[in-house]
């Protein structure tokens, strides 16, 4: 496609201008900004390409919010044409060996497994993942998530259809969404829930070094506290 556009005289500047006009729901950028401000590490796993993604992110001023972009590489050659290459070499008989409905050029499940392994090596294996997606290629990484993780499939899109066929195959907690407003609301609700759980765990560790007894205080202990007296109306 890029070769055809170039043959018609379209320049990289023309392509950039189109990318900058790509419509985005008005609540998506604020959702990204809020997640970043709350301390989330944001990563992209996309079957688009590096030029498209970075152009759009830079245009909206959020490129630095993402620590990692996993996508099909590309570069502008000496003739001024965008050259895009597959993430996985699909000229091989089995480019990634995945049996799930992943395109031959990219298995997002393998990328998620690599990220999980890197977190484990850094001692961050308890960190929870929230995965958002809509395409069929997002089904495989949804299956790689662990219990305690979250997956946000877009309702009535391919990944939602695949997950809905057998939700028991997905270990992560499933939260569907339909538009940017729902995406923002649900995402921030999940982040808030995670932080509440982490804060509670930290409190438990503070009270008891290696075993949380915070939730097992007996009723007798509670009864030693002063009783609430009724206030006359």
């Amino acid at each position: 496609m890029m070769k055809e556009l170039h043959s018609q005289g379209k320049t990289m500047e023309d392509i950039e201008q189109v990318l900058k006009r790509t419509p985005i729901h008005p609540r998506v950028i604020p959702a990204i900004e809020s997640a970043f401000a709350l301390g989330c590490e944001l990563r992209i796993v996309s079957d688009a390409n590096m030029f498209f993604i970075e152009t759009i992110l830079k245009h909206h001023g959020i490129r630095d919010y993402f620590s990692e972009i996993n996508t099909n590489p590309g570069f502008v050659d000496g003739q001024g044409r965008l050259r895009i290459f597959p993430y996985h070499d699909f000229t091989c008989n089995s480019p990634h060996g995945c049996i799930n409905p992943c395109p031959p050029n990219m298995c997002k499940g393998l990328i998620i497994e690599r990220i999980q392994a890197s977190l484990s090596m850094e001692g961050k294996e308890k960190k929870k993942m929230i995965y958002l997606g809509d395409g069929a290629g997002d089904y495989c990484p949804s299956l790689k998530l662990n219990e305690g993780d979250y997956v946000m499939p877009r309702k009535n899109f391919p990944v939602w259809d695949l997950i809905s066929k057998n939700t028991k195959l997905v270990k992560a907690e499933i939260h569907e969404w339909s538009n940017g407003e729902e995406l923002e609301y649900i995402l921030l609700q999940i982040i808030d829930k995670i932080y509440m759980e982490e804060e509670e765990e930290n409190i438990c560790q503070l009270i008891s070094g290696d075993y949380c007894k915070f939730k097992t205080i007996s009723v007798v202990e509670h009864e030693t506290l002063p009783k609430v007296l009724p206030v006359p109306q």
Side-chain angles (χ1 to χ4, degrees):
M1 185 175 65
M2 292 297 104
K3 182 179 180 180
E4 179 64 25
L5 289 174
H6 185 262
S7 68
Q8 294 179 12
K10 301 298 181 181
T11 65
M12 291 306 300
E13 289 73 20
D14 295 330
I15 296 173
E16 284 185 27
Q17 292 306 313
V18 172
L19 292 172
K20 292 176 181 179
R21 295 198 303 269
T22 302
I24 296 179
H25 191 284
R27 298 314 308 168
V28 170
I29 302 301
I32 293 172
E33 293 172 337
S34 296
F36 180 78
L38 290 169
C40 297
E41 182 177 2
L42 308 180
R43 307 180 192 226
I44 291 176
V45 182
S46 172
D47 195 12
N49 65 80
M50 189 65 74
F51 179 81
F52 282 20
I53 292 174
E54 287 199 324
T55 298
I56 293 173
L57 294 182
K58 289 176 182 178
H59 175 66
H60 290 283
I62 56 174
R63 172 60 185 90
D64 293 339
Y65 290 5
F66 294 89
S67 64
E68 185 177 309
I69 298 177
N70 300 275
T71 188
N72 298 298
F75 71 96
V76 180
D77 64 18
Q79 298 179 347
R81 175 165 64 98
L82 179 60
R83 304 290 301 276
I84 301 172
F85 296 89
Y87 187 87
H88 297 299
D89 185 4
F90 58 73
T91 60
C92 301
N93 292 330
S94 181
H96 47 66
C98 183
I99 61 174
N100 291 311
C102 297
N105 64 293
M106 174 176 280
C107 172
K108 295 181 180 180
L110 289 178
I111 297 173
I112 291 300
E113 286 183 332
R114 179 187 58 75
I115 293 174
Q116 290 170 330
S118 67
L119 292 175
S120 180
M121 290 182 64
E122 295 171 10
K124 300 178 181 178
E125 61 274 6
K126 292 185 178 180
K127 290 293 182 182
K128 298 180 179 180
M129 282 190 180
I130 307 172
Y131 188 93
L132 294 86
D134 55 16
D138 295 307
Y139 179 64
C140 183
S142 299
L143 299 177
K144 305 295 183 181
L145 300 175
N146 299 315
E147 291 184 13
D149 291 334
Y150 299 84
V151 59
M152 292 178 57
R154 190 172 185 180
K155 191 174 181 180
N156 297 323
F157 276 69
V159 67
W160 183 82
D161 294 335
L162 289 167
I163 289 176
S164 297
K165 289 180 179 179
N166 190 352
T167 57
K168 293 182 180 180
L169 294 177
V170 180
K171 298 177 184 178
E173 196 171 296
I174 303 169
H175 293 265
E176 63 187 37
W177 57 280
S178 299
N179 54 51
E181 289 179 353
E182 290 185 1
L183 182 153
E184 179 185 35
Y185 177 78
I186 295 171
L187 176 62
L188 296 183
Q189 286 289 314
I190 293 174
I191 294 172
D192 184 61
K193 178 184 176 182
I194 292 172
Y195 278 129
M196 291 282 287
E197 291 173 350
E198 289 181 350
E199 185 176 346
E200 182 176 330
E201 182 179 349
N202 290 335
I203 291 174
C204 292
Q205 291 175 353
L206 181 63
I207 292 174
S208 179
D210 59 352
Y211 182 72
C212 179
K213 299 178 181 178
F214 186 72
K215 290 185 177 181
T216 60
I217 299 176
S218 68
V219 177
V220 176
E221 289 173 320
H222 278 294
E223 289 177 350
T224 62
L225 297 174
K227 294 184 179 180
V228 178
L229 300 177
V231 179
Q233 298 295 324

